[in-house]
Amino acid sequence: SQQGEEDPQALSIQEGENATMNCSYKTSINNLQWYRQNSGRGLVHLILIRSNEREKHSGRLRVTLDTSKKSSSLLITASRAADTASYFCATEGSNDYKLSFGAGTTVTVRA
Amino acid sequence: EPEVTQTPSHQVTQMGQEVILRCVPISNHLYFYWYRQILGQKVEFLVSFYNNEISEKSEIFDDQFSVERPDGSNFTLKIRSTKLEDSAMYFCASSLQGRTGELFFGEGSRLTVL
C-alpha cells in the first residue's frame, strides 16, 4: 500500500507551542500533500511538496521531505486554538492517479 | 471562492436500498474523486474519474458502486444495495490537474445504513 502513516496519532499542546507530526510512506512518489480536517468537515489542502523538493514553507507551516527515508514532517509554529484539527498526509505514487491518505494526527491546542 | 458542493449532507437508509450521493465539482476542474471515511478512521480512496471514464478504483469500489457524470456538472456516486458497513462519510473531490495537483473537497455526505 502507498498510504502514508502519521505519527503521533494524537498530540496535545499549549497555545503558542510548536506542533510537529511525521508521515512515512512505502513506495516512490510524485508528491506529498498535507491536509487539515476540522471535526465533521471536509479536508482542506495545506501544502504540497514535490519529490524533488526538500523543504517548503507556507505561513506558519513548514514541511520537509526526505525521499531516502520515505518520510515527511509538518511543523506548525506558534500554534493557536484554531489549529485544533486532524492533519493528514497524502501521497501520490509514481504510477497513481489518486492520493492515498494516512490515518491522520489529531492535534489539540489548549488555550 | 469556488467550492465543491455535496448533497445530501446526511442520508439515512435501510440495508439493501439504493443510494445516490451527488456532487457538483468546481466548474473548470477535470478530475473527480470519491473518498470515504468511516467515523474517526482513515480517508479511503474509492474512485477517480476523468474524461467520462474511471481512471482508477480501489478494492472497496466493487460492483455495488458506480459513478456517473450525467450532465456535465454533477458527479454522482451510486450504491446499489447498501450494507451496514457502507455507513461512512463520503467525500467528493475535484482537481484541475490529474497529477501533482491539490484536491478540493466537499463537506461530505454522511450515510447511515440501518
Side-chain angles (χ1 to χ4, degrees):
Chain A
S1 169
Q2 177 58 49
Q3 289 174 337
E5 296 296 333
E6 289 92 341
D7 169 62
Q9 287 185 316
L11 184 59
S12 180
I13 55 173
Q14 201 71 34
E15 205 166 25
E17 293 180 339
N18 295 342
T20 300
M21 59 211 87
N22 303 296
C23 170
S24 60
Y25 57 92
K26 293 181 181 172
T27 61
S28 63
I29 60 171
N30 287 326
N31 67 78
L32 184 145
Q33 303 181 33
W34 286 90
Y35 286 77
R36 167 196 166 118
Q37 183 182 36
N38 285 24
S39 181
R41 306 293 299 274
L43 290 93
V44 176
H45 180 264
L46 294 176
I47 196 164
L48 180 154
I49 186 164
R50 302 189 192 285
S51 59
N52 61 352
E53 296 175 312
R54 292 296 166 257
E55 188 170 314
K56 208 159 181 182
H57 297 254
S58 176
R60 293 184 295 112
L61 304 180
R62 174 179 167 249
V63 169
T64 63
L65 179 64
D66 186 337
T67 53
S68 67
K69 294 181 179 177
K70 293 187 170 57
S71 68
S72 172
S73 68
L74 171 67
L75 168 68
I76 305 172
T77 60
S79 62
R80 305 166 182 168
D83 294 328
T84 294
S86 292
Y87 293 83
F88 294 86
C89 73
T91 53
E92 181 185 273
S94 299
N95 298 313
D96 288 343
Y97 289 88
K98 66 178 187 290
L99 285 181
S100 298
F101 286 81
T105 294
T106 300
V107 175
T108 304
V109 181
R110 304 184 306 272
Chain B
E1 187 174 319
E3 59 180 19
V4 176
T5 57
Q6 290 187 241
T7 55
S9 56
H10 189 192
Q11 180 152 358
V12 180
T13 190
Q14 295 292 323
M15 193 168 54
Q17 294 297 304
E18 176 183 283
V19 160
I20 297 176
L21 305 178
R22 292 183 167 78
C23 169
V24 179
I26 294 173
S27 60
N28 63 335
H29 284 189
L30 302 174
Y31 300 84
F32 314 111
Y33 309 83
W34 283 101
Y35 286 81
R36 79 174 187 189
Q37 184 179 34
I38 295 170
L39 187 62
Q41 297 186 27
K42 62 175 60 176
V43 178
E44 299 175 298
F45 169 75
L46 294 178
V47 66
S48 58
F49 191 86
Y50 168 70
N51 200 27
N52 280 320
E53 59 183 34
I54 291 173
S55 304
E56 192 166 347
K57 60 182 181 179
S58 71
E59 291 175 354
I60 302 167
F61 194 88
D62 62 21
D63 291 344
Q64 292 301 310
F65 290 86
S66 62
V67 288
E68 197 177 34
R69 189 157 160 80
D71 56 12
S73 61
N74 290 284
F75 179 51
T76 62
L77 174 69
K78 181 193 286 187
I79 309 174
R80 288 191 183 82
S81 178
T82 50
K83 305 175 188 135
L84 295 175
E85 55 264 36
D86 293 328
S87 294
M89 183 74 95
Y90 288 81
F91 291 104
C92 173
S94 68
S95 68
L96 188 56
Q97 298 168 269
R99 309 193 79 182
T100 72
E102 68 176 273
L103 267 56
F104 291 79
F105 282 83
E107 291 293 331
S109 293
R110 180 170 297 284
L111 176 64
T112 302
V113 182
L114 303 176

